[in-house]
Amino acid sequence: MANNKPLKKVDLIFSEAFLNRDELKEVLSRSADEVIQELLDSGLRGRGGAGFPTGLKWKFTRDQKDPEKYVVCNADEGEPGTFKDREILDRVGRKVFNGMALCAGTIGAKEGYMYLRGEYRFLLPKLYQILDEFHEDMKALGIDFHIDIKLGSGAYVCGEESALFESMEGDRGEPRNKPPYPTEYGFRGKPTVINNVETFVSALIISRIGAAEYQKLGTVDSRGSKLFSVSGDTPIPGIYELELGMTVEQFVNEFGDGDTKAVQVGGAAGFCVPRKKFNDTIIGFEGVPTGGSMMLFNSSRSMYNVLHNYLDFFKEESCGQCTPCRVGCQQLFLGIEAVKRGEKPASYLDTLLKLSQTMKITAKCGLGQSVGNSFHSIVNNFREEMIY
Amino acid sequence: MENMVKLKIDGVEVQVEKGKTILDAARSMNIHIPTLCHHEDLCVAGNCRVCVVEQVGTRNLVASCATPAADGMEIRTNSLKVRNARKHIIELLLSEHNADCTKCYKNGNCELQALASELKNTEHMFLDLVERKTFTVDMYSPSIIKDDSRCIRCQRCVRTCEELQHVSALGVAHKGDRMKISTFFDRPMFEVVCTNCGQCVNRCPTGALIERNYIDEVWDAIYNEDKFVVVQTAPATRVALGEALDLPPGEIVTGKMVAALRRLGFNAVLDTDWSADLTIMEEGTELLTRLKKALVDKDPNVALPMTTSCSPGWIKFIEHTFPEMLPNVSTCKSPQQMFGAVAKTYYANKVGVDPAKMVVVSIMPCTAKKFEADRPEMRSSGYKDVDLVLTTRELGIMIRQAGLDFNSLPDEDYDSVLGQSSGAAVIFGATGGVMEAALRTAYEIVTGREVPFEGLNITPVRGMEGVREASMEIKDTLPEWKFLEGVELRTVVAHGLTNAKQVMQWVKEGKKSYHFIEIMACPGGCLGGGGQPIPTNAEIRAKRAEAIYREDAGKAIRKSHENPEIIAIYKEFLGEPLSHKSHELLHTHYVERNRY
């Protein structure tokens, strides 16, 4: 599947379009059925990383009979290596609120919340100013929908939707048991749509340009374009909106420094793709999914150090609630140290690989379930670096 | 059949009510799925992950305790995938757990140990994390020891403290590898709102939360030639001790318990039931006096409703939570403390023992009693009124240590005096029992007639509902109680501090008005106390309650004021209820405590 075409850069998310009140009026005049159908047709999947079909999420929530519903924007951008939501909020915050209003109108919610990463506190004055204008416009349009912003306090796990609700409700940010899912039992136990910042913007764009137009971008499994936060060993780090469906090879050709050894797709919770697999790995839901984090490593980097760093992060950021994640992360972290120091035989890595598999299928939430992704892909592809 | 779902577990079809979990469904067909964080009395946590099972068609395993059974589900509880995952999870728990079992108080009664012994892993799969960390062991409390190195973070204690007791002395602090069960700013349990109720101890699956035991101190006293060691046994111990000695729940073992205590070497085996009768005399009279002050003297300072004061967990709770309502609490000491004060005065004199050489030991269903005995107010005999407090569990251990075959012991009677009791005293051990006992006596004092209930069983105040209201119209009073004629005596019974808090909130906000409130800190009353044999659940507590009422019904004397030894002490020593002497020995006061 040799594909060395240059990447297609797109300018939808940050474009100046769809920012004003008239656009909002236009968007909000659509019926809920239309909006949902358009989203389903577009094939839009959540941009936070998990990739749940957005149209379905909105539909499930709309179908709930409870009159009290919520729209929540997950702006707790915490995945190592991702910084695109910050940029969206900084440059086109109004689009996010418009997208939330679209969602509220569709599902029948009167209150919306943005859960903003604590470290993004500096964005607050700007966001409040935009919100004031937004609320005035909503009032002028005669629409009863209000958005408030809640700040996180720095816990990675609070980006997990149910932990985020717990945190917003004033409790300790610990993930809940699922089912029930947020579409049924979300914020304050009410049906809730919770989407990533970028997803709301994409939903807004789709309802303006139409599913047919949006579908022209991407592949069957990964429609449209999305933002990528590019960092690491690259001469041009930054945020890029790219059409989905490229191979890692294409990506590296564009962003690499000519000596790329591996790309970590999807952050610490994502997958590490080694050079030998660049050509046949697609970035998207058919290959390696990502919420936007793309970290490039060149041959000067020790993949042991990379993994060690991720595990250090996970063992600290696990909420500590469930056994596989709390203890598993510590075991993986100390385990690779023990192998490196020769205190455990190299075969202990296989024990740890099995453990990471157990974590994947038994942890309570996405955090613990995804630790195995980077562990597996790094240990399997760079085993000798783990040992020597 | 609309409310039923049909699923398949291990190839067998089963129907359960909608809303039941996979675990419920499996248990209904006697399929054993191991659990740790799950407890029948508490909300679902789903955090230990020991109970994971395979749902065919789903990539991840699901926690059976937290996943509702659904139509068409196909569950495998014992597939290779499940077995391997479960093994990993138990190994992970063990790697983080100070598994020094032979030095653990819970050795032989630990749910993690049981799982490990089922697993039969002879080699540790993972690194030992315990040696890499520092843990604190909180030994400051006279009631409870908290050893973090044995904690598996299942949060049963946290849920107990929050849901059942509304105390939240225990919570989760930090995250990741530093996550731990902690108190307000990690202060010792002794310094925070902990009521010492011990409900967390009852539910801790390992040795992380245990009672502070005084077994060796008691043995030392028994073998000390200079000491005269007196033991008293609380009402609820006699219907639960059997469980600590391999008998099924609900057995009445009063006679065997007395026999065992005698064989352990106590110089006198006496009964807290006796002082429970004494409590009724004092507390019943106190209630009537308060009513008289309010209704006849129109005294604006009299605090009504009056609440009971037997439960030391409740006392510490109200001292922390509603200090402004302390005047509403009866000034009567608990039966344990009344016993101690009388033992080292009246009784010591009667048996000719120097109170300085007397050691009073009590066997209690309670961990808060250990704290209560240590309170500075509890020295009215001139000595520490009660020296050492053991839980029902500790007595069970002593009986085993002494090599007694409990089941083959004969039934023996308590020594006298301070050994005789009424049925009214026995029911102190169940929620509603103090209320019932007080009504049996107070009604008769006021009207000269027995309470108008068949067999003296005041059934409206019995049961396991969290809050139970009952009222009773007082008619045809004796002349001296004329002011109570036609008064509707409104009472309420609450057990578990969550329910207690609710009732006190109502009273505080003026939403409800009562005359008399009975509160027990523990679910089910003392029979569900924090010092009772483990495990506990609603079914076990119901069996203990049933045994308590059976014991009451079988007593020759059913009313406290008819206990001849009670009549005697008033004649010989105290004079009358609320006398000067009574106040000195049998009544106490309370202190306001902090809110954290």
Side-chain angles (χ1 to χ4, degrees):
Chain A
M1 210 207 318
N3 186 348
N4 290 317
K5 277 191 310 187
L7 296 178
K8 184 166 178 190
K9 293 191 178 163
V10 186
D11 182 28
L12 287 170
I13 305 264
F14 292 118
S15 81
E16 294 297 314
F18 324 130
L19 274 171
N20 58 38
R21 183 204 297 184
D22 295 338
E23 288 291 346
L24 186 61
K25 191 176 174 186
E26 179 68 32
V27 164
L28 295 180
S29 64
R30 317 275 299 275
S31 79
D33 284 331
E34 273 179 285
V35 174
I36 287 173
Q37 197 54 51
E38 197 91 70
L39 281 176
L40 289 171
D41 290 345
S42 76
L44 177 66
R45 295 171 70 165
R47 294 307 193 214
F52 190 80
T54 308
L56 275 184
K57 194 182 268 189
W58 291 22
K59 182 178 184 309
F60 290 157
T61 313
R62 189 201 54 168
D63 291 347
Q64 290 291 323
K65 293 205 173 58
D66 200 314
E68 191 183 336
K69 296 176 186 177
Y70 295 97
V71 177
V72 176
C73 174
N74 186 346
D76 192 46
E77 187 171 42
E79 191 58 49
T82 174
F83 38 86
K84 46 122 188 148
D85 291 341
R86 181 185 68 197
E87 202 70 4
I88 295 176
L89 294 168
D90 196 24
R91 284 166 58 187
V92 289
R94 177 60 194 255
K95 270 188 171 170
V96 181
F97 298 134
N98 285 1
M100 289 174 74
L102 172 68
C103 177
T106 306
I107 64 164
K110 291 189 169 54
E111 273 181 69
Y113 290 90
M114 174 177 282
Y115 186 85
L116 185 68
R117 178 184 163 106
E119 290 87 338
Y120 291 175
R121 180 187 291 272
F122 69 93
L123 289 171
L124 268 185
K126 193 173 201 172
L127 287 174
Y128 277 133
Q129 198 190 335
I130 300 171
L131 257 189
D132 285 346
E133 291 164 19
F134 171 82
H135 284 137
E136 266 174 40
D137 291 349
M138 293 304 278
K139 210 169 158 188
L141 290 169
I143 295 168
D144 181 14
F145 177 61
H146 185 271
I147 295 176
D148 210 348
I149 300 176
K150 296 207 177 214
L151 277 178
S153 298
Y156 172 70
V157 74
C158 288
E160 196 280 342
E161 52 194 21
S162 60
L164 186 151
F165 296 142
E166 291 290 315
S167 170
M168 287 220 305
E169 289 169 16
D171 288 328
R172 187 180 153 81
E174 284 185 347
R176 298 172 180 167
N177 289 302
K178 291 180 216 170
Y181 294 96
T183 50
E184 189 186 326
Y185 187 94
F187 181 49
R188 294 181 182 147
K190 298 295 178 183
T192 304
V193 163
I194 174 162
N195 276 134
N196 171 258
V197 173
E198 187 182 345
T199 311
F200 281 117
V201 178
S202 297
L204 181 78
I205 289 166
I206 288 163
S207 73
R208 289 296 290 122
I209 66 172
E213 186 65 25
Y214 196 74
Q215 278 227 357
K216 287 180 186 163
L217 295 167
T219 63
V220 176
D221 288 323
S222 311
R223 291 287 184 203
S225 59
K226 93 166 293 316
L227 291 181
F228 289 87
S229 311
V230 183
S231 66
D233 294 318
T234 167
I236 45 168
I239 292 157
Y240 300 88
E241 184 171 359
L242 304 170
E243 178 182 5
L244 285 168
M246 64 195 144
T247 62
V248 179
E249 179 84 21
Q250 284 173 285
F251 179 84
V252 169
N253 287 344
E254 178 84 19
F255 296 101
D257 61 358
D259 185 25
T260 307
K261 159 163 119 177
V263 181
Q264 180 75 19
V265 182
F271 297 85
C272 181
V273 184
R275 186 183 291 157
K276 62 175 186 269
K277 292 180 184 163
F278 283 175
N279 209 16
D280 46 55
T281 306
I282 292 178
I283 300 167
F285 298 107
E286 57 271 69
V288 281
T290 173
S293 173
M294 301 293 287
M295 288 183 268
L296 295 98
F297 300 106
N298 67 21
S299 60
S300 73
R301 309 292 169 184
S302 151
M303 295 314 286
Y304 169 83
N305 285 349
V306 171
L307 181 60
H308 190 262
N309 177 283
Y310 292 162
L311 293 174
D312 198 8
F313 173 79
F314 282 129
K315 81 165 173 44
E316 192 176 315
E317 290 300 338
S318 161
C319 76
Q321 182 189 188
C322 82
T323 312
C325 182
R326 179 187 66 249
V327 196
C329 289
Q330 297 175 63
Q331 288 293 353
L332 295 182
F333 175 78
L334 295 168
I336 64 164
E337 281 189 347
V339 170
K340 191 80 175 175
R341 284 200 293 259
E343 291 160 11
K344 284 273 184 189
S347 62
Y348 189 59
L349 288 174
D350 300 317
T351 304
L352 296 178
L353 282 168
K354 282 185 196 150
L355 170 62
S356 76
Q357 185 55 27
T358 292
M359 291 166 68
K360 197 170 189 147
I361 60 170
T362 60
K364 190 169 180 174
C365 81
L367 197 166
Q369 289 166 12
S370 58
V371 174
N373 296 344
S374 53
F375 190 83
H376 231 261
S377 52
I378 294 178
V379 170
N380 275 336
N381 289 311
F382 301 95
R383 193 177 172 101
E384 67 290 350
E385 289 193 38
M386 301 299 122
I387 302 165
Y388 304 109
Chain B
M1 280 307 168
E2 235 175 55
N3 282 331
M4 303 295 278
V5 292
K6 205 188 271 181
L7 65 158
K8 227 182 215 178
I9 301 182
D10 294 341
V12 182
E13 246 181 34
V14 61
Q15 276 203 2
V16 288
E17 263 172 69
K18 220 176 191 164
K20 293 277 180 195
T21 62
I22 297 172
L23 180 67
D24 296 330
R27 286 190 174 170
S28 77
M29 51 205 292
N30 290 326
I31 292 178
H32 169 72
I33 300 175
T35 55
L36 270 179
C37 68
H38 181 265
H39 194 284
E40 284 113 314
D41 290 337
L42 306 171
C43 82
V44 168
N47 59 25
C48 76
R49 315 307 280 181
V50 166
C51 73
V52 287
V53 294
E54 186 176 348
Q55 183 185 345
V56 176
T58 311
R59 186 184 62 116
N60 291 349
L61 301 180
V62 297
S64 60
C65 72
T67 310
D71 263 322
M73 263 184 176
E74 204 183 326
I75 300 296
R76 291 180 189 154
T77 69
N78 205 20
S79 65
L80 190 63
K81 197 173 168 185
V82 172
R83 296 203 66 79
N84 286 339
R86 197 179 284 160
K87 190 190 243 176
H88 269 151
I89 290 165
I90 295 168
E91 278 288 326
L92 287 176
L93 286 169
L94 289 170
S95 77
E96 199 191 28
H97 174 79
N98 178 8
D100 197 354
C101 295
T102 55
K103 288 182 189 158
C104 180
Y105 188 63
K106 289 286 282 291
N107 189 8
N109 192 7
C110 165
E111 295 179 41
L112 181 63
Q113 190 184 42
L115 281 182
S117 92
E118 225 172 74
L119 197 64
K120 294 273 180 272
N121 248 22
T122 49
E123 246 172 84
H124 286 307
M125 206 180 279
F126 302 119
L127 300 169
D128 182 1
L129 301 178
V130 179
E131 59 187 26
R132 290 160 207 263
K133 295 186 183 185
T134 48
F135 295 97
T136 42
V137 184
D138 174 6
M139 311 237 290
Y140 288 99
S141 162
S143 298
I144 295 170
I145 293 175
K146 176 169 167 282
D147 181 349
D148 290 345
S149 74
R150 302 197 192 274
C151 172
I152 57 166
R153 293 136 177 100
C154 66
Q155 300 191 33
R156 274 193 197 169
C157 55
V158 175
R159 284 175 283 151
T160 299
C161 206
E162 182 182 328
E163 290 167 28
L164 300 182
Q165 303 297 59
H166 252 276
V167 170
S168 289
L170 292 171
V172 180
H174 308 297
K175 59 182 164 51
D177 53 342
R178 293 173 59 232
M179 181 265 207
K180 64 181 281 193
I181 309 305
S182 184
T183 53
F184 180 80
F185 273 84
D186 213 14
R187 286 169 188 243
M189 303 263 280
F190 184 55
E191 289 181 14
V192 297
V193 288
C194 171
T195 64
N196 304 304
C197 73
Q199 289 301 313
C200 55
V201 174
N202 269 1
R203 287 174 185 76
C204 180
T206 68
L209 284 160
I210 54 172
E211 68 264 23
R212 173 142 171 204
N213 85 77
Y214 297 88
I215 295 172
D216 286 342
E217 286 85 341
V218 172
W219 280 125
D220 284 347
I222 287 173
Y223 283 103
N224 187 334
E225 298 281 315
D226 284 343
K227 299 288 183 189
F228 185 85
V229 189
V230 170
V231 66
Q232 57 165 326
T233 61
T237 55
R238 67 208 68 202
V239 295
L241 176 65
E243 293 166 42
L245 296 157
D246 304 330
L247 293 174
E251 295 268 325
I252 302 171
V253 295
T254 321
K256 290 187 195 309
M257 176 168 71
V258 173
L261 289 166
R262 215 161 262 144
R263 280 154 186 73
L264 293 180
F266 288 103
N267 298 95
V269 181
L270 304 175
D271 202 356
T272 318
D273 280 16
W274 175 84
S275 51
D277 278 332
L278 186 63
T279 305
I280 286 302
M281 298 307 291
E282 293 293 324
E283 198 162 313
T285 313
E286 184 185 358
L287 175 65
L288 292 174
T289 309
R290 287 197 193 205
L291 286 172
K292 183 164 188 283
K293 277 186 185 161
L295 296 173
V296 181
D297 312 338
K298 311 279 180 211
D299 180 352
N301 295 322
V302 64
L304 278 174
M306 186 179 91
T307 83
T308 56
S309 57
C310 320
S311 166
W314 155 241
I315 294 300
K316 190 150 183 277
F317 180 78
I318 190 172
E319 287 177 331
H320 285 291
T321 318
F322 297 102
E324 69 281 5
M325 295 180 83
L326 284 173
N328 293 69
V329 182
S330 161
T331 59
C332 289
K333 284 182 185 172
S334 72
Q336 160 175 280
Q337 294 307 136
M338 285 198 183
F339 182 97
V342 172
K344 292 196 179 177
T345 52
Y346 170 74
Y347 176 78
N349 191 36
K350 240 181 146 81
V351 293
V353 172
D354 176 2
K357 291 186 174 169
M358 185 183 281
V359 177
V360 175
V361 174
S362 40
I363 312 296
M364 293 284 143
C366 185
T367 47
K369 290 282 173 195
K370 294 171 188 270
F371 169 83
E372 184 188 44
D374 275 3
R375 289 179 71 118
E377 302 88 33
M378 302 300 173
R379 291 169 174 271
S380 47
S381 63
Y383 306 90
K384 191 179 174 201
D385 294 338
V386 173
D387 295 278
L388 296 162
V389 181
L390 301 181
T391 60
T392 314
R393 293 189 290 265
E394 288 166 79
L395 175 58
I397 293 169
M398 286 185 74
I399 291 171
R400 283 187 196 277
Q401 286 177 343
L404 297 177
D405 179 14
F406 188 72
N407 214 4
S408 61
L409 290 174
D411 286 345
E412 293 183 6
D413 283 331
Y414 286 98
D415 292 318
S416 184
V417 289
L418 275 53
Q420 202 169 3
S421 66
S422 75
V426 175
I427 57 174
F428 261 59
T431 168
V434 177
M435 178 64 70
E436 181 165 348
L439 290 177
R440 281 184 197 170
T441 289
Y443 190 88
E444 206 166 316
I445 291 176
V446 172
T447 64
R449 302 184 309 275
E450 289 189 339
V451 281
F453 288 91
E454 199 185 333
L456 296 176
N457 299 329
I458 311 181
T459 45
V461 300
R462 295 185 183 183
M464 282 294 168
E465 245 175 277
V467 176
R468 303 188 298 283
E469 292 176 331
S471 63
M472 191 182 202
E473 200 188 335
I474 302 172
K475 276 187 292 198
D476 303 326
T477 60
L478 294 174
E480 62 266 42
W481 300 100
K482 204 82 202 144
F483 66 92
L484 286 173
E485 182 65 40
V487 166
E488 196 193 4
L489 190 70
R490 290 183 304 276
T491 66
V492 64
V493 172
H495 59 117
L497 291 171
T498 298
N499 296 317
K501 192 174 179 182
Q502 178 66 76
V503 166
M504 296 317 282
Q505 204 71 44
W506 286 336
V507 171
K508 194 177 160 183
E509 290 165 4
K511 284 187 181 154
K512 302 260 186 174
S513 98
Y514 306 107
H515 296 107
F516 191 34
I517 302 175
E518 182 210 285
I519 288 176
M520 293 296 155
C522 294
C526 303
L527 58 87
Q532 293 283 61
I534 298 170
T536 182
N537 59 38
E539 193 188 329
I540 291 173
R541 292 193 292 274
K543 284 189 176 153
R544 292 176 189 163
E546 190 264 328
I548 280 204
Y549 288 113
R550 225 177 335 127
E551 176 93 335
D552 165 38
K555 284 269 194 179
I557 302 166
R558 304 283 307 285
K559 295 170 283 187
S560 300
H561 57 277
E562 289 179 357
N563 178 346
E565 288 189 1
I566 294 293
I567 297 169
I569 191 178
Y570 278 111
K571 209 162 134 194
E572 296 167 18
F573 184 64
L574 294 170
E576 55 182 16
L578 303 188
S579 68
H580 181 69
K581 195 98 193 153
S582 291
H583 269 294
E584 218 170 74
L585 290 177
L586 308 181
H587 291 257
T588 185
H589 61 272
Y590 309 106
V591 292
E592 185 174 342
R593 293 177 196 271
N594 57 45
R595 300 297 286 264
Y596 51 82

